[in-house]
């Protein structure tokens, strides 16, 4: 399972209709054909006043995510980040019948990893590389039963609105643990090895399956025998609602070993993900399958029963806070940190809510050919950091994408691939050794709207992102002094981080600047 294919399935496409209105001077304001023609001057404005602050995020909503992080990730700048998961379980079939004299053989939890093929050997073995696994050290992994009940709808709204669960849920979950430990491994690490599995048939027939890498854990047989198999015919298994009240939640608990660890991005909704109970029951051997000449005796048949994860799944974070230093912007995924940027943030002498600089620029009536922000990586902080390939700039006040996001290619919606929006959100520029140099964000349409269409000069939010196609938002818990309502969900599902030079950095050549390339008529 590749992460690219999964992103194609989970990305939501928002169709937006744009109308372009020519200005009263009858020339285009973006990409104008009048650049360099007689009667016009071209210029570069790069003196815009910019303010930028770091924001250490409050707990973030995590029950609306397409994917979930699990594990421990540590870096020297942001410290340790621990991600655990609590999830509902759903029966593949309600009111199940397990047959005559069922005997539970094994219980297997499976979650495929994101991976891609490196090569296929002559022996037939496929060599894989894991994607979206950060770090390579072992963690302690436990699978526990919790009696914490996950609501689909918020009881405080008379169950009219969907329930929001935040990343600070760990104390509530752990205070409701039942004491049932279904699995525990003090030295767990994700393996890229191909999995060879013998799939039991209904009778003696067995199929050999070669599977891409996946988490495959054997859970407690005794627990599931008493919890599921022995409850056949009971009201607890009669409906999904009854079952979720009976078996309230499963808790994937990640703990750190030493000072390192590893973290995985998982899709618990993937078709092969879930818990399968493998059992045998007896049926009358009407076809004499065992060849003993008796068609009235009982023989064993192999069967299985599946439990799916969800629908409600919550990631919890335990994140250390970095020490912010002056002049730098700290970006960290999960319940991490982001930057809040104000363009044209200078003095407002007339008190009308618009800076003097912005009023001057609006009065200039420039044709905006290009506008961009370049964020330089502060390599003094990057030792030990897994650098994100993309960052994401958005309208923080309205929790919305910028106009340039949709118009990635002139007049076209962005394509549905993980490499889309490379004109607006340019991937990390690297040097010959692979070290990050800078990110460039083109905001030509946004600046044109602010300068020439007098749209509100909104605050901009800057985050790292796992995938630029994930444009949905996660709410931020509104604590006292919170100045962020929502953050992009794509930033919640990555532990990656970076440190960028801000507009007040000591190194003047690497300070954050807004560059506006413009054309204006000659006087």
């Amino acid at each position: 399972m590749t992460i690219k294919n999964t992103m194609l399935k989970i990305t939501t496409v928002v169709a937006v209709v744009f109308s372009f209105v020519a200005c009263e001077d009858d020339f285009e304001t973006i990409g104008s054909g009048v650049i360099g023609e007689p009667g016009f001057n071209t210029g570069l404005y790069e003196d815009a006043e910019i303010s930028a602050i770091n924001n250490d995020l409050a707990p973030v909503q995590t029950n609306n995510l397409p994917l979930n992080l699990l594990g421990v990730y540590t870096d020297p700048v942001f410290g340790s980040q621990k991600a655990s998961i609590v999830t509902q379980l759903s029966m593949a079939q309600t009111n199940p019948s397990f047959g005559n004299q069922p005997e539970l053989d094994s219980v297997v939890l499976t979650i495929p990893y994101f991976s891609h093929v490196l090569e296929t050997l002559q022996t037939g073995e496929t060599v894989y590389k894991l994607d979206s696994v950060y770090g390579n050290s072992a963690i302690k992994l436990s699978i526990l039963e919790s009696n914490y009940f996950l609501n689909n709808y918020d009881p405080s709204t008379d169950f009219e609105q969907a329930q929001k669960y935040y990343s600070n849920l760990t104390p509530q979950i752990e205070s409701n643990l039942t004491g049932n430990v279904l699995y525990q491994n003090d030295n767990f690490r994700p393996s890229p090895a191909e999995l060879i599995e013998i799939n039991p048939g209904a009778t003696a027939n067995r199929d050999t399956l070669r599977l891409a890498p996946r988490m495959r854990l054997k859970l407690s047989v005794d627990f599931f025998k008493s919890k599921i198999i022995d409850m056949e015919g009971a009201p607890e298994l009669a409906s999904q609602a009854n079952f979720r009240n009976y078996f309230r939640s499963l808790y994937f608990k990640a703990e750190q070993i030493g000072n390192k660890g590893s973290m995985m991005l998982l899709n618990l909704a993937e078709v092969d993900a879930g818990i399968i109970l493998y059992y045998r029951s007896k049926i009358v051997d009407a076809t004499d399958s065992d060849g003993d000449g008796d068609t009235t005796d009982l023989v064993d048949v192999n069967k299985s029963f599946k439990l799916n994860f969800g629908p409600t799944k919550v990631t919890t974070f335990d994140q250390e806070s970095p020490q912010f230093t002056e002049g730098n912007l700290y970006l960290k995924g999960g319940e991490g940190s982001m930057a809040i940027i104000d363009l044209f943030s200078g003095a407002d002498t007339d008190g009308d809510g618009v800076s003097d600089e912005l009023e001057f620029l609006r009065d200039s009536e420039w044709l905006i050919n290009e506008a961009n922000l370049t964020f330089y990586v502060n390599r003094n902080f990057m030792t030990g950091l897994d650098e994100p390939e993309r960052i994401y700039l958005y309208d923080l006040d309205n929790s919305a994408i910028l106009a340039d996001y949709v118009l990635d290619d002139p007049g076209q919606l962005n394509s549905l691939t993980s490499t889309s929006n490379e004109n607006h959100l340019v991937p990390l520029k690297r040097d010959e050794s692979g070290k990050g140099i800078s990110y460039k964000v083109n905001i030509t349409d946004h600046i044109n709207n602010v300068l020439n269409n007098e749209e509100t000069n909104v605050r901009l939010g800057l985050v790292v992102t796992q995938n630029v196609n994930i444009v949905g938002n996660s709410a931020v818990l509104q604590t006292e002094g919170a100045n962020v309502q929502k953050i992009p969900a794509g930033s919640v599902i990555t532990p990656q981080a970076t440190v960028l030079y801000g507009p007040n950095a000591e190194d003047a050549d690497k300070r954050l600047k807004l560059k506006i390339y413009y054309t204006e008529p000659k006087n």
Side-chain angles (χ1 to χ4, degrees), residues 46-57:
E46 54 182 342
D47 297 322
E49 295 195 51
I50 303 174
S51 66
I53 61 172
N54 292 295
N55 185 73
D56 191 10
L57 285 167

Side-chain angles (χ1 to χ4, degrees), residues 310-380:
T312 301
K313 303 177 287 290
V314 181
T315 300
T316 65
F317 288 112
D318 183 3
Q319 169 68 58
E320 295 180 356
S321 298
Q323 295 295 319
F324 297 138
T325 57
E326 186 68 26
N328 294 302
L329 305 179
Y330 291 75
L331 309 183
K332 169 74 173 178
E335 186 190 313
S337 62
M338 62 176 293
I340 301 173
I341 298 171
D342 281 296
L343 302 179
F344 316 116
S345 59
D348 174 19
T349 56
D350 59 8
D352 64 352
V354 179
S355 71
D356 299 343
E357 178 188 23
L358 183 52
E359 288 180 339
F360 163 77
L361 293 175
R362 285 174 172 173
D363 291 340
S364 299
E365 297 183 348
W366 289 341
L367 297 164
I368 309 302
N369 302 314
E370 181 185 335
N372 65 69
L373 292 164
T374 299
F375 298 89
Y376 287 94
V377 177
N378 190 332
R379 297 232 52 91
N380 296 324

Side-chain angles (χ1 to χ4, degrees), residues 98-328:
F98 301 115
N100 188 19
Q101 303 177 39
E103 294 185 17
L104 185 59
D105 291 325
S106 62
V107 181
V108 179
L109 183 152
T110 300
I111 306 174
Y113 297 128
F114 291 109
S115 63
H116 65 272
V117 176
L118 290 180
E119 61 176 324
T120 300
L121 305 179
Q122 292 182 346
T123 59
E125 179 185 358
T126 302
V127 180
Y128 290 89
K129 178 177 174 58
L130 296 184
D131 302 322
S132 298
V133 173
Y134 310 93
N136 54 18
S137 299
I139 62 170
K140 179 180 178 180
L141 178 62
S142 304
I143 310 295
L144 311 167
E145 182 191 24
S146 176
N147 204 37
Y148 185 80
F149 185 74
L150 294 166
N151 284 300
N152 294 328
Y153 293 93
D154 188 349
S156 67
T157 65
D158 292 329
F159 300 97
E160 293 180 356
Q161 297 179 13
Q163 177 71 57
K164 293 178 180 178
Y165 287 105
Y166 293 87
S167 54
N168 61 345
L169 201 61
T170 299
Q172 294 94 312
I173 298 167
E174 296 198 350
S175 65
N176 282 278
L177 293 177
T178 63
N180 291 314
V181 180
L182 313 186
Y183 172 88
Q184 184 170 296
N185 187 340
D186 293 340
N187 193 39
F188 176 87
R189 69 182 74 206
S191 170
E194 179 183 42
L195 185 66
I196 299 177
E197 184 177 80
I198 305 298
N199 186 35
T203 54
N205 299 322
R206 293 174 179 267
D207 296 325
T208 300
L209 304 176
R210 305 185 78 97
L211 305 173
R214 57 199 57 212
M215 178 186 292
R216 191 174 186 275
L217 313 177
K218 290 191 175 183
L219 307 186
S220 168
V221 171
D222 291 341
F223 173 83
F224 281 94
K225 179 181 183 302
S226 62
K227 195 77 175 182
I228 305 294
I229 299 295
D230 292 348
M231 295 297 289
E232 178 182 347
E236 286 83 352
L237 307 188
S239 69
Q240 298 289 9
N242 288 358
F243 179 71
R244 290 173 193 149
N245 187 51
Y246 165 63
F247 194 159
R248 294 197 162 185
S249 53
L250 196 68
Y251 182 41
F252 293 70
K253 182 178 182 179
E255 297 176 83
Q256 190 169 23
I257 300 174
N259 58 1
K260 295 184 179 180
S262 59
M263 187 174 287
M264 305 150 272
L265 185 64
L266 303 173
N267 182 7
L268 273 66
E270 212 272 344
V271 64
D272 287 341
I275 299 172
I276 298 182
L277 284 66
Y278 294 99
Y279 66 97
R280 291 170 293 146
S281 63
K282 296 184 180 296
I283 61 172
V284 175
D285 189 18
T287 61
D288 192 21
S289 61
D290 57 6
D292 65 355
D294 188 350
T295 59
T296 63
D297 60 342
L298 298 177
V299 293
D300 289 331
V301 292
N302 296 313
K303 295 184 178 182
S304 63
F305 180 72
K306 186 179 182 185
L307 301 173
N308 294 309
F309 301 120
T312 301
K313 303 177 287 290
V314 181
T315 300
T316 65
F317 288 112
D318 183 3
Q319 169 68 58
E320 295 180 356
S321 298
Q323 295 295 319
F324 297 138
T325 57
E326 186 68 26
N328 294 302

